[in-house]
Amino acid sequence: MNISGESLGTFLARQTVQAATPLVMAGLGELVAELTGVINIGIEGLMLMGCIAGYAAAGISGSGQMGLAAAILTAMGTAAIFAGVTIWAAADQIVAGAAVNILAVGASGLAWFFYQTTRQAAHQSVSLGPQVGFQSVALPWLSRVPFFGPVLFDQYMLFYAAVILALLVWLLVHHTRTGAILRALGDAPEACQAAGISVRTWRTAAVLFAGACAGAAGAYLSIMRTHAFASDMTGGQGFVVLSLVIFGRWTIPGLVAGCLLFGGINSLQQTLQTTRYTSHSTFMHALQHIPFEFFQMLPYVVALLALATLSRSSPGPRYLGQAWKQ
Amino acid sequence: MDSSVPPPVLNSPPSKARRYGAQRGVKVFLLWLSVALGAVALSVLLVLAILALAGYPALGILHRWIIGAAGNRFNCAASVADACPLLLTGLAAGVAFRSGVLNIGAQGQFLLGALAGVALTTRFILPGPPWLVMAVAIAAASVAGGLWAVLASVLERYRGVPIVLSTILLNFVALYLVRAALHGPLQAADTSAPQSPQLKVIYWLPILIRNTDFHLGIPLAFAVALALALVLGRTNFGFELLITGLNPRVANLVGVPVARRQLAIMFLSGCCAGLGGAVQVLGVTHFMLGNFGNYGYTGIAVALLGRLNPIGIAVAAVFFGMLDTGSRFVEESSLALPHQMANVVKGVIILAMLVASAWMMRRSRSPVPETSENPTSRDPQQVES
């Protein structure tokens, strides 16, 4: 980790934004799905499918864009299975989500194996070439602004996409008729039904959107922020997304704040882990005596404490987790 | 919709048991059995078709898979040994889901149980004969898992944190607690990895069938399943647990101490998972790594496949154990396919079962729309007093 070129504050802020980006991306999709009344704990699996599909497609085609498209499509396909089971067959969403997670571990493991063996058989490199994965995109002018430049205007493409998407979803949910329908689907599906709105079709669309978002977030992990795949590379981030949506009380500002908080604590703990042995400050030396696992634990503890102390002003979509039977 | 009705928190209990498939009767059972076998056949066929398309000998793989799962005495024992932790985490999920409590936290409870087990047999060995040390370790592991689950219950009761959420977060807290302990006080002297020393051989659970993996923990786990089947199905206490989950208001009206029973459900659930962790350490691995499997999450699937019935869960766990053992055999054979393919089979089975059971339920019940089951809050403040 090279932090010589920039101040620690800039470095931390940049890392925070990078860690928060996939969480925001996947969280926006999950938020929309939950507003319509569908909770998908399989989002971890969808992200994992995005990771492997993005990596393998980028490796085979030699193009990062192809990887991103494949990641989005694969995760949408997996989300379509989930939608079919939970919305059209009206099965339990929690168990179906758990099944999607198990399925994704298996499918990504098999796909990774096939990818490796076929590449090796063709005497091609398993890892991505330097030009294949995405690099960060520095916006002209803006990226030279001190602090804000490197933090906000020299990021990966998906960061800008996430910012735009967050604004769009916010506008959609709060200022359009579509948004009113989306929220009604979770709060009063019978009213939607009475108004001639197909609950199942709309919910399916929301779940597919969530799948696309999770796939893009997965691709961010495997072909943008790092150019690598590992068998459990999401490492529970999907579950974190799930809790951040509820943590943010199903609001977009709340979700983004939660993601930044989580990403901030996470990059702080990573930086502490790597710099505390080399730093000369007494504060860093004092931290050496704390096992680094406690820093890794910190985001989850903070999320729990925040949930336990915040008021329950918004209990969330009324029919969250319930199947709609026509 | 009447605004005085409190909104449901993530679920509505009245339909819960039915949604998770708690139905009775021989006819239903037979139908279920055929559906389960169909789902198994479908998922195995699917995976084999994928492998055949990728150019692998599908029949050869199936043959090796079956040999590996149950081809001889040793493989059979290995399958049951693989089933053991899944049975206990499955029971953990089953006990809770049956009562409408969404305990997703068997993973964390399992890990803490394993940690307690390894702590009491490596670093903090009580004076006494080995059998007593092991008994204390296993009991402490169950209590550790149970208390970790109760923590989620307390958070819901007093701070309104939904259990489905707190248990997920607590899984990660438990994971890093375990890693901190394995990097700190419980670390083996000869390694820098988060890893405990190996248990002394006298603290290994005895092998009951010579030259196999069949250890004492396996009959113990099946005994727990049997005991739970009796307690949940045949006693007043079990019935109270059931109606507490199905409809806390009704339970309260008929005089069930709802708050205490909700704690009991979580404690019992966590105990099963914690026991599973200890049995896995003392019976199979004999030491603990920072990365100790995904038994907790798989347990949810096992519980569903077993229809939340302890005996059914035992059958489902043995089947999953066979899938795992068989797929490892395939991985170690000349084909060297990754063992993760067992997970594809598991995932497809569960999804197929979900669809089939939803279809069965729709057939077997009167056509009452879901919304007529008025959403009742599981908010404990509502049912107290």
Side-chain angles (χ1 to χ4, degrees):
Chain A
M1 202 173 284
N2 174 26
I3 56 171
S4 52
E6 50 196 344
S7 76
L8 187 64
T10 315
F11 175 78
L12 274 179
R14 193 172 145 78
Q15 291 290 317
T16 299
V17 171
Q18 290 195 346
T21 303
L23 302 177
V24 171
M25 195 79 199
L28 286 171
E30 179 68 15
L31 179 85
V32 170
E34 288 194 18
L35 282 182
T36 68
V38 183
I39 183 165
N40 182 1
I41 72 165
I43 192 148
E44 169 89 7
L46 297 181
M47 286 173 72
L48 195 55
M49 294 303 281
C51 287
I52 181 64
Y55 189 86
I60 291 166
S61 70
S63 135
Q65 278 79 8
M66 286 296 285
L68 183 59
I72 290 174
L73 287 176
T74 308
M76 277 178 88
T78 316
I81 299 174
F82 175 81
V85 171
T86 57
I87 300 172
W88 296 91
D92 188 83
Q93 295 171 3
I94 299 287
V95 182
V100 166
N101 283 334
I102 296 174
L103 182 66
V105 170
S108 64
L110 263 188
W112 177 229
F113 171 77
F114 285 150
Y115 176 73
Q116 281 176 310
T117 45
T118 48
R119 295 291 281 185
Q120 279 158 0
H123 301 290
Q124 285 166 315
S125 158
V126 171
S127 57
L128 295 183
Q131 74 286 356
V132 174
F134 285 89
Q135 306 298 332
S136 54
V137 182
L139 297 187
W141 298 99
L142 288 170
S143 60
R144 274 183 250 151
V145 178
F147 185 76
F148 292 105
V151 173
L152 293 179
F153 303 111
D154 184 12
Q155 289 284 6
Y156 296 99
M157 178 205 118
L158 212 60
F159 165 75
Y160 307 118
V163 172
I164 295 167
L165 193 68
L167 285 172
L168 284 181
V169 171
W170 182 77
L171 278 175
L172 181 83
V173 169
H174 293 287
H175 295 281
T176 65
R177 183 180 135 78
T178 313
I181 294 174
L182 284 177
R183 280 175 293 143
L185 287 164
D187 281 327
E190 69 283 344
C192 291
Q193 179 79 0
I197 293 160
S198 168
V199 176
R200 289 178 164 181
T201 311
W202 277 80
R203 282 187 176 176
T204 306
V207 167
L208 289 181
F209 172 70
C213 290
Y220 180 90
L221 294 177
S222 67
I223 56 177
M224 285 197 197
R225 198 174 181 206
T226 61
H227 295 173
F229 178 79
S231 58
D232 186 25
M233 87 174 300
T234 43
Q237 290 195 50
F239 289 115
V240 171
V241 166
L242 205 65
S243 48
L244 287 176
V245 170
I246 304 177
F247 174 86
R249 299 284 152 201
W250 295 275
T251 65
I252 288 142
L255 170 72
V256 173
C259 292
L260 285 173
L261 178 70
F262 193 93
I265 297 173
N266 228 340
S267 39
L268 189 65
Q269 66 85 2
Q270 278 169 359
T271 312
L272 283 175
Q273 254 185 66
T274 46
T275 55
R276 61 190 170 147
Y277 294 110
T278 52
S279 165
H280 297 292
S281 84
T282 39
F283 175 67
M284 289 293 195
H285 275 285
L287 288 175
Q288 280 181 30
H289 300 291
I290 303 174
F292 69 83
E293 286 88 356
F294 284 99
F295 294 111
Q296 293 178 314
M297 195 194 298
L298 207 56
Y300 304 97
V301 175
V302 170
L304 263 178
L305 287 179
L307 281 167
T309 48
L310 292 178
S311 73
R312 301 182 64 204
S313 51
S314 161
R318 197 181 170 89
Y319 284 84
L320 186 55
Q322 289 191 47
W324 173 252
K325 289 170 183 163
Q326 276 162 320
Chain B
M1 189 50 70
D2 180 7
S3 63
S4 68
V5 178
V9 182
L10 291 174
N11 54 41
S12 85
S15 61
K16 211 77 208 182
R18 265 188 286 163
R19 274 211 274 157
Y20 288 119
Q23 296 157 312
R24 285 169 186 279
V26 176
K27 215 174 143 188
V28 175
F29 173 75
L30 286 178
L31 190 56
W32 189 276
L33 195 66
S34 50
V35 165
L37 291 176
V40 169
L42 174 81
S43 54
V44 171
L45 273 178
L46 184 78
V47 170
L48 291 180
I50 294 171
L51 292 174
L53 282 177
Y56 288 88
L59 282 179
I61 293 167
L62 183 63
H63 178 70
R64 271 177 230 210
W65 207 335
I66 294 170
I67 298 280
N72 55 39
R73 218 165 57 104
F74 180 82
N75 290 354
C76 283
S79 289
V80 190
D82 265 352
C84 185
L86 290 177
L87 170 55
L88 287 164
T89 53
L91 288 173
V95 167
F97 280 40
R98 185 179 170 277
S99 303
V101 179
L102 287 179
N103 178 12
I104 312 285
Q107 180 70 20
Q109 294 142 20
F110 178 89
L111 285 178
L112 281 187
L115 186 70
V118 84
L120 287 170
T121 47
T122 55
R123 277 288 179 274
F124 310 103
I125 301 175
L126 302 171
W131 64 266
L132 185 66
V133 172
M134 284 192 276
V136 169
I138 287 175
S142 310
V143 173
L147 290 180
W148 196 248
V150 162
L151 181 57
S153 197
V154 167
L155 276 173
E156 175 173 81
R157 186 166 157 65
Y158 294 103
R159 304 301 327 162
V161 186
I163 280 189
V164 62
L165 193 52
S166 60
T167 47
I168 289 175
L169 291 171
L170 284 170
N171 282 345
F172 289 99
V173 178
L175 175 69
Y176 292 117
L177 264 182
V178 163
R179 289 199 180 154
L182 293 178
H183 240 147
L186 292 181
Q187 191 172 28
D190 52 354
T191 174
S192 62
Q195 184 179 324
S196 80
Q198 196 172 44
L199 274 62
K200 280 191 200 140
V201 179
I202 48 167
Y203 298 125
W204 293 11
L205 284 176
I207 296 288
L208 299 182
I209 300 177
R210 190 188 291 235
N211 293 331
T212 70
D213 297 339
F214 196 93
H215 57 83
L216 182 64
I218 294 168
L220 181 67
F222 282 91
V224 169
L226 199 62
L228 275 177
L230 292 175
V231 169
L232 296 179
R234 297 268 181 270
T235 65
N236 280 343
F237 179 70
F239 185 67
E240 286 182 6
L241 291 191
L242 186 63
I243 59 171
T244 298
L246 296 187
N247 194 332
R249 283 183 183 171
V250 169
N252 188 45
L253 285 177
V254 297
V256 176
V258 168
R260 290 213 321 254
R261 292 292 177 269
Q262 279 175 335
L263 274 184
I265 291 166
M266 275 306 265
F267 186 72
L268 208 55
S269 173
C271 277
C272 291
L275 177 66
V279 165
Q280 185 70 358
V281 163
L282 270 66
V284 179
T285 61
H286 306 306
F287 77 108
M288 197 177 173
L289 272 171
N291 193 353
F292 205 62
N294 272 331
Y295 297 105
Y297 295 116
T298 314
I300 299 171
V302 170
L304 171 89
L305 200 59
R307 301 179 60 211
L308 310 185
N309 171 328
I311 305 300
I313 292 172
V315 176
V318 169
F319 178 68
F320 270 30
M322 287 167 68
L323 279 179
D324 282 335
T325 310
S327 65
R328 258 188 285 123
F329 186 78
V330 175
E331 184 173 37
E332 286 156 15
S333 77
S334 56
L335 288 168
L337 283 168
H339 65 271
Q340 279 104 326
M341 66 183 177
N343 285 320
V344 179
V345 176
K346 288 178 196 166
V348 176
I349 289 176
I350 301 156
L351 291 172
M353 290 289 290
L354 274 175
V355 174
S357 62
W359 171 74
M360 275 168 62
M361 248 177 338
R362 213 171 309 160
R363 268 183 36 148
S364 66
R365 61 198 267 208
S366 55
V368 182
E370 178 85 347
T371 42
S372 73
E373 290 163 350
N374 213 347
T376 317
S377 172
R378 291 207 299 110
D379 190 346
Q381 273 83 38
Q382 303 285 340
V383 293
E384 232 181 356
S385 77

